[in-house]
Amino acid sequence: GVRDVMFLYEDNRCSMTYMYEYPEYLKIKLPKKTARRYPAYELYLYGEGNYAEENKNLLLTGIPVLFLPGNAGSYKQVRSLGSVALRKAEDVDFKYHFNFFSVNFNEELVALYGGSLQRQTKFVHECIKVILKLYRDREFAPSSVAIVGHSMGGLVARALLTLKNFKPELINLLITQATPHVAPVMPLDKYLTDFYTAVNNHWILKAQDLRNLTTLSVAGGFRDYQVRSGLAFLPRLSQHDSALSVVSSAVPRAWASTDHLSIVWCKELILATIRAFFDLIDENTRQITEDPKKRMSVLNHHFVRHPAKMFEENPEAFTDLTGAFMWITVKGPKWTYSVYNDSDGKYFIFPLASHRKSYSHVYCENSMLDTSSWIYGCMNTNSSICLEAADLSWRAELLPSTKVVMLKLLDYPSLSHIVIQVPPAVGNKYTLGCEFFKEDTRTVQLPVTHLFSFGLSSSKILLNSTGLHYNVQLQHFNQIYQAFKIYIDSTCQSLKGRKPSVYRLHIPWSYEDSITVAKVPSLAEISAKLHIAQPPNDSSLPELNIYSSPDCQYEVSKTVLFYSYYPFIFVFQIVRFHAGAFPVYIVSNILLTYGGQLSTLRSTGQCSDFSLELVRTAKPYKVEPLISIVVFLQGFNWFREIWESLSLPEVDAAVLSSQDAWFPLVSLILFLFGTGIAYWSGVFFSTSLRLFSSLWLTLIRPTELQKDKLITPRRLCGMISLALVSWTTCGAFAVLIIYLQYFVGSYRPVHVFVTSVSHLQDSGHSKETSQNSSTHTVKAQSSVDSIPEATQSPSNSKTLAEAVNSLKMHITILNLFTWIVLLNLPSLIYWLKNLRYSVRLDPDPCRSTAIILICILEILMNSSTSEVKSSKLLKIAAKVPLPLSVAMLAFGRMHLYRVPHFVTFSLLLHVLCCFV
């Protein structure tokens, strides 16, 4: 699954954008109050060569566009957009041009730490006001700014509308690139999830107020493994018809999936964006048009369906077919024509009356990829010529090697003829073709693998092509966990002059089509996976459109991905959609094991080994059924009312189901993944602790046994010092310090063990005992049993057993605490990166938790199982991890920051067991 997500995607088909002159970034001076409030942030204006020199005095006359970088992004990423826009402006002699501004967010990790998102949003608001002031008193002064946001920058742009003093009319166009709109990729702190909730709730509740804002979200497709495309789709609102979400693989003239960074420089996407910008200009105001309908028309033209014509807001309904062209009547249902160095223009006219009874559709294609009109419809022609006709070229669609038109005859009852225009082609070579057909003769159905087929099913269809177009309907292909490969084997009778075949996987409920161009003959491989599941009220079928060659044979077969390796076909889809939830399932397994060890300690007086206890205790049937029952009951209003009255948060599985991201058995598979990872992490910590302790004991040979108190003045001072560090600097920093201190302190059981054995040696034990003791330094599993019974005293035997039990318990606690450190690590990195601006991280997502953990671990690192075994609270402490694991899986999948809270509570009970 990881291999598929990380490596098995299409090759990078994007071209690099290049600057023709050296890029320059002019720093814009901000008001003193703004600069003082946001010392780490800056605003720049992009320029090149003479254009940069002319703008140094900031006498700007263009159209302002603001670029917002994303997580760890640079303000210099604006150069691709700025450079291509500059070249486009030169083509039109600077009749219109754009001024591209960019914000420097100091490359903050806002995807992992949400504490600065609100600050970034407020700074962008100040930048917009500064930008508009630069155009004051100009002849065509703008009243709004267009924004392009990459990754989290797109979310910051959407968050502008949540600010109290922000005027929505300051933005009229927002384009986001690979922005996770639905939910954070890794919800590591409360500030991040709260920010998402505020933004998405505002856009839902205030949808009516957003009609004047046109929003386009472009996702990267399967190459972007950092932000899956399903997260980049804007919420579907019936009252919000000015938003559009597309995947880059479906964008006309791009047709390429992009990774998370290449989406900002992919030449094909940049060209589509800049062409759209120039088509959005209003000739009267010389700014981006204020008409929302025109803005949506332009975006649909460039990002959804391109008719291979230059954009026109109001194209003429009828066109005069003039010129000294020859008129040729075509009466047959199929027609092909090749053009090469043809100096005479021609009109081919197809009468429809003779075809309407026998056929339902007409399909035409043209390999001449210019932007001129080429297909027309005549309405009342009784002769062999047509002087006035409707331009049907706007119904065409551009594909990589051809432009095609598909017309349903019943939709055009007034048309009497179809006319194909073939202009003179001096030095050009291209082909045209048309055919009439019945829809059912060109549509075949291919069953798709269901969940429980276990990869054993296969399907194959054979198309003996006599036409130009086929539709293969993929039955029951509507869920994100379905994944398979389609193979198309093409063979032709003649290869001379054969055009390549185009295969398009068309998903009707979202703009996530993918296109494959293959030579003939060839074996083409198409990976069939969904970004968005089919909506409940949608009954359409995905299709594989085959734009074929006549006299070719196509064999279409379907193979389940990974059926030879995994019992389930959706393993890699689990990784793609739910890899962020792995920490929850891993910690849940460790916590169940920890509870089992406490239970064994209470019943037998001995602490069981981590790996053995994991196998015995960490069972999915202990946690999953209860969560499933709650999710099921939440479908009833009475239960939901009771749940809400208790102020309980919504179960994450229910939220994921509403987002179509939850599917059968996913939680079971994730739990098993968590069990495996927890097992090997336990092996790693056990091995590493023993290796380090062996090295330590080689250097320092203990001679005395000392029984320290759990709380001493020295340790109390350590607690207070680390608590002050947490409060005044960064909580994650204090957590890391106490973690390292605990790791070193975990050698204490080994210290006790070796000291005990040393005392045995000093009492005159045999060489065998001495050899056993050195072995036990590395292997403490059978420490007591391997010492000869004749040489054991009850006190030493008891001490050895306690040392072994304590070591096992410390390994489990260290394993738990490691995941707490990893989940808090992003805020530590953020703090270190911004240390020159502020010593104190504010807000700090783990400050209070860090103080509690400091106190807990300072005590636990000096504790042993002897204090715990006799505790009255041990029974409670042993039973609590199970409900905590259930709660963790119920409320922690989409809120990873809650995981340390559950672990902290369990460890707190352990501390109380040392005293009570």
Side-chain angles (χ1 to χ4, degrees):
V2 174
R3 177 173 172 264
D4 177 85
V5 172
M6 303 292 290
F7 304 108
L8 295 184
Y9 43 69
E10 66 180 62
D11 295 333
N12 190 356
R13 292 188 286 188
C14 284
S15 305
M16 177 63 77
T17 49
Y18 294 95
M19 285 78 249
Y20 291 91
E21 297 175 280
Y22 192 78
E24 297 183 32
Y25 305 90
L26 178 63
K27 186 177 179 179
I28 306 297
K29 187 177 181 181
L30 300 172
K32 291 182 179 179
K33 185 179 179 181
T34 303
R36 188 167 54 251
R37 186 180 298 174
Y38 309 101
Y41 301 158
E42 297 168 324
L43 177 64
Y44 288 88
L45 173 65
Y46 178 83
E48 294 178 20
N50 294 331
Y51 171 76
E53 288 293 327
E54 293 172 359
N55 287 333
K56 282 187 176 179
N57 56 9
L58 295 180
L59 298 177
L60 306 177
T61 58
I63 303 169
V65 179
L66 179 60
F67 175 79
L68 304 181
N71 177 59
S74 170
Y75 65 95
K76 294 183 179 180
Q77 289 174 312
V78 72
R79 61 182 175 266
S80 295
L81 285 166
S83 182
V84 174
L86 182 58
R87 303 282 87 79
K88 181 75 171 176
E90 290 175 350
D91 292 341
V92 296
D93 296 325
F94 281 92
K95 180 181 179 181
Y96 311 113
H97 70 279
F98 289 85
N99 303 128
F100 275 85
F101 297 85
S102 183
V103 173
N104 179 16
F105 284 136
N106 194 32
E107 300 184 7
E108 292 178 336
L109 299 172
V110 288
L112 304 177
Y113 168 74
S116 63
L117 284 169
Q118 194 68 23
R119 185 161 56 246
Q120 287 190 2
T121 305
K122 293 179 180 178
F123 179 74
V124 172
H125 185 199
E126 297 298 325
C127 288
I128 291 174
K129 292 189 285 188
V130 170
I131 290 170
L132 292 178
K133 283 183 180 179
L134 296 175
Y135 295 87
R136 188 179 294 171
D137 302 327
R138 300 292 188 270
E139 182 181 359
F140 298 100
S143 59
S144 61
V145 175
I147 294 181
V148 178
H150 172 241
S151 187
M152 295 298 289
L155 188 71
V156 169
R158 289 179 62 210
L160 286 168
L161 298 164
T162 65
L163 299 178
K164 291 182 179 180
N165 299 324
F166 184 79
K167 299 177 181 178
E169 57 268 19
L170 292 179
I171 310 176
N172 56 12
L173 177 66
L174 171 59
I175 298 178
T176 66
Q177 302 170 327
T179 296
H181 292 292
V182 177
V185 177
M186 293 290 288
L188 292 172
D189 64 61
K190 191 174 187 296
Y191 308 113
L192 189 60
T193 56
D194 287 351
F195 189 83
Y196 265 90
T197 301
V199 172
N200 287 328
N201 286 346
H202 182 88
W203 277 59
I204 293 173
L205 297 175
K206 303 290 184 180
Q208 294 289 349
D209 301 336
L210 303 177
R211 286 185 175 275
N212 291 326
L213 172 62
T214 303
T215 309
L216 169 68
S217 175
V218 182
F222 290 113
R223 279 189 62 86
D224 189 350
Y225 58 82
Q226 296 183 45
V227 176
R228 62 177 179 86
S229 296
L231 293 177
F233 278 66
L234 292 161
R236 298 177 182 175
L237 302 175
S238 57
Q239 65 270 34
H240 189 198
D241 54 0
S242 58
L244 181 64
S245 301
V246 299
V247 180
S248 61
S249 60
V251 175
R253 306 172 79 171
W255 299 301
S257 176
T258 63
D259 59 57
H260 197 62
L261 291 179
S262 68
I263 198 170
V264 301
W265 55 255
C266 179
K267 183 178 179 181
E268 289 75 11
L269 272 180
I270 297 298
L271 287 172
T273 305
I274 297 304
R275 291 184 187 116
F277 270 130
F278 276 86
D279 284 341
L280 286 167
I281 297 174
D282 187 329
E283 294 184 358
N284 297 322
T285 63
R286 297 198 174 185
Q287 297 293 325
I288 291 179
T289 179
E290 296 295 328
D291 184 3
K293 291 184 178 180
K294 180 182 177 180
R295 292 199 295 260
M296 283 302 295
S297 297
V298 171
L299 295 181
N300 275 288
H301 179 91
H302 289 283
F303 288 91
V304 177
R305 185 186 180 95
H306 198 294
K309 289 179 64 66
M310 304 294 288
F311 176 79
E312 294 181 26
E313 185 177 2
N314 296 305
E316 295 183 3
F318 296 95
T319 303
D320 294 331
L321 302 182
T322 58
F325 285 12
M326 182 186 303
W327 287 83
I328 302 174
T329 302
V330 180
K331 296 183 178 180
K334 297 178 183 178
W335 168 79
T336 57
Y337 186 74
S338 298
V339 182
Y340 182 63
N341 280 336
D342 196 344
S343 59
D344 298 325
K346 298 181 178 63
Y347 286 121
F348 291 90
I349 186 167
F350 299 79
L352 298 181
S354 59
H355 296 305
R356 288 187 180 275
K357 293 182 179 180
S358 303
Y359 306 105
S360 62
H361 289 72
V362 58
Y363 168 84
C364 295
E365 61 182 21
N366 184 353
S367 64
M368 182 65 172
L369 302 181
D370 60 354
T371 58
S372 59
S373 298
W374 61 283
I375 182 169
Y376 305 90
C378 297
M379 295 188 178
N380 50 6
T381 301
N382 295 321
S383 59
S384 59
I385 63 173
C386 176
L387 299 180
E388 187 180 58
D391 190 353
L392 299 179
S393 303
W394 293 104
R395 303 287 187 271
E397 184 174 9
L398 181 64
L399 295 175
S401 60
T402 186
K403 48 189 178 183
V404 301
V405 174
M406 177 83 72
L407 303 176
K408 187 176 182 179
L409 297 180
L410 289 178
D411 294 340
Y412 300 91
S414 60
L415 294 185
S416 60
H417 293 73
I418 296 290
V419 178
I420 301 294
Q421 180 182 1
V422 181
V426 179
N428 292 326
K429 183 178 181 179
Y430 60 97
T431 60
L432 301 97
C434 285
E435 63 173 348
F436 293 85
F437 63 89
K438 279 188 176 181
E439 185 178 17
D440 55 356
T441 62
R442 298 301 171 83
T443 302
V444 294
Q445 294 180 336
L446 184 67
V448 167
T449 307
H450 56 81
L451 178 61
F452 298 103
S453 65
F454 297 96
L456 301 178
S457 64
S458 61
S459 303
K460 184 181 294 186
I461 56 176
L462 189 64
L463 305 176
N464 289 311
S465 177
T466 57
L468 303 174
H469 179 265
Y470 275 92
N471 284 334
V472 179
Q473 294 182 341
L474 304 176
Q475 292 180 307
H476 314 298
F477 181 39
N478 50 23
Q479 299 298 327
I480 58 174
Y481 58 77
Q482 295 172 297
F484 53 93
K485 287 188 177 181
I486 300 174
Y487 295 94
I488 304 179
D489 189 6
S490 59
T491 55
C492 300
Q493 296 177 359
S494 174
L495 303 180
K496 186 177 180 180
R498 186 72 63 185
K499 67 181 181 68
S501 296
V502 177
Y503 312 123
R504 176 171 66 178
L505 182 63
H506 174 59
I507 310 300
W509 56 80
S510 64
Y511 300 116
E512 55 176 281
D513 295 4
S514 59
I515 290 182
T516 303
V517 180
K519 295 181 180 180
V520 178
S522 67
L523 177 64
E525 179 184 285
I526 300 173
S527 183
K529 292 172 282 190
L530 294 175
H531 296 291
I532 297 290
Q534 187 175 28
N537 56 350
D538 195 313
S539 59
S540 55
L541 292 176
E543 292 181 338
L544 176 65
N545 304 136
I546 300 178
Y547 301 94
S548 57
S549 298
D551 305 323
C552 288
Q553 178 176 288
Y554 295 85
E555 183 180 86
V556 184
S557 60
K558 182 247 328 155
T559 304
V560 178
L561 201 58
F562 292 131
Y563 73 96
S564 300
Y565 307 100
Y566 297 101
F568 302 104
I569 65 171
F570 54 89
V571 171
F572 70 93
Q573 287 293 73
I574 291 179
V575 176
R576 184 184 308 280
F577 282 84
H578 300 287
F582 279 177
V584 181
Y585 286 89
I586 297 168
V587 176
S588 176
N589 274 274
I590 300 173
L591 198 59
L592 287 172
T593 306
Y594 169 70
Q597 286 180 317
L598 291 177
S599 180
T600 306
L601 184 66
R602 175 177 172 269
S603 59
T604 65
Q606 301 294 323
C607 182
S608 56
D609 187 69
F610 177 84
S611 58
L612 297 176
E613 194 62 41
L614 177 70
V615 174
R616 188 182 72 85
T617 311
K619 303 295 184 183
Y621 59 77
K622 293 183 178 181
V623 294
E624 292 299 334
L626 183 59
I627 298 174
S628 300
I629 291 171
V630 172
V631 172
F632 172 76
L633 291 176
Q634 281 192 334
F636 299 95
N637 291 330
W638 61 269
F639 185 83
R640 196 158 51 246
E641 291 174 0
I642 296 174
W643 190 269
E644 292 173 355
S645 66
L646 296 174
S647 299
L648 292 173
E650 194 170 2
V651 178
D652 288 347
V655 178
L656 290 169
S657 297
S658 65
Q659 297 174 358
D660 297 322
W662 201 248
F663 37 88
L665 301 180
V666 62
S667 191
L668 174 63
I669 300 298
L670 287 172
F671 191 93
L672 296 178
F673 285 173
T675 305
I677 298 172
Y679 174 84
W680 288 109
S681 65
V683 171
F684 169 78
F685 283 112
S686 178
T687 305
S688 61
L689 189 64
R690 288 166 180 169
L691 288 175
F692 278 111
S693 60
S694 300
L695 178 62
W696 179 66
L697 291 171
T698 304
L699 300 175
I700 303 174
R701 193 71 175 177
T703 57
E704 294 185 4
L705 275 170
Q706 291 183 351
K707 178 63 177 178
D708 294 335
K709 294 181 179 180
L710 291 176
I711 300 179
T712 63
R714 183 178 177 182
R715 288 172 191 148
L716 193 60
C717 289
M719 289 184 198
I720 296 173
S721 299
L722 285 177
L724 287 174
V725 169
S726 174
W727 189 261
T728 57
T729 58
C730 174
F733 180 55
V735 168
L736 180 62
I737 294 174
I738 193 66
Y739 172 75
L740 297 175
Q741 188 177 341
Y742 187 87
F743 186 83
V744 175
S746 297
Y747 300 153
R748 185 176 181 275
V750 184
H751 175 110
V752 173
F753 172 79
V754 176
T755 305
S756 302
V757 176
S758 298
H759 278 267
L760 289 174
Q761 294 174 4
D762 295 339
S763 301
H765 289 286
S766 64
K767 184 178 179 181
E768 178 186 357
T769 306
S770 176
Q771 292 173 345
N772 284 338
S773 69
S774 62
T775 304
H776 295 168
T777 305
V778 181
K779 287 188 176 182
Q781 176 66 33
S782 58
S783 55
V784 181
D785 298 334
S786 58
I787 298 176
E789 295 181 6
T791 63
Q792 291 187 31
S793 65
S795 60
N796 281 332
S797 178
K798 183 178 180 181
T799 304
L800 287 170
E802 288 180 2
V804 173
N805 291 334
S806 298
L807 181 61
K808 293 175 181 177
M809 187 60 69
H810 281 299
I811 289 174
T812 304
I813 295 174
L814 187 66
N815 203 344
L816 277 172
F817 194 41
T818 300
W819 286 99
I820 295 179
V821 173
L822 291 176
L823 291 175
N824 289 318
L825 201 58
S827 61
L828 175 62
I829 298 172
Y830 179 92
W831 173 72
L832 290 172
K833 199 169 185 179
N834 291 271
L835 196 56
R836 57 176 174 164
Y837 300 107
S838 177
V839 176
R840 190 171 192 261
L841 179 63
D842 188 31
D844 190 341
C846 61
R847 180 172 290 132
S848 56
T849 307
I851 294 174
I852 299 173
L853 284 171
I854 289 167
C855 299
I856 290 174
L857 294 175
E858 277 284 0
I859 297 172
L860 287 182
M861 76 173 66
N862 300 290
S863 68
S864 66
T865 54
S866 59
E867 294 103 345
V868 179
K869 280 192 292 187
S870 58
S871 174
K872 298 178 181 179
L873 294 177
L874 182 57
K875 182 178 180 180
I876 298 175
K879 291 184 178 296
V880 161
L882 176 57
L884 287 180
S885 296
V886 175
M888 190 184 300
L889 294 184
F891 306 114
R893 290 186 183 106
M894 299 179 64
H895 305 82
L896 293 179
Y897 61 88
R898 293 173 178 168
V899 172
H901 302 160
F902 296 114
V903 176
T904 302
F905 183 77
S906 186
L907 294 179
L908 182 61
L909 288 177
H910 191 141
V911 170
L912 293 177
C913 287
C914 296
F915 296 98
V916 180

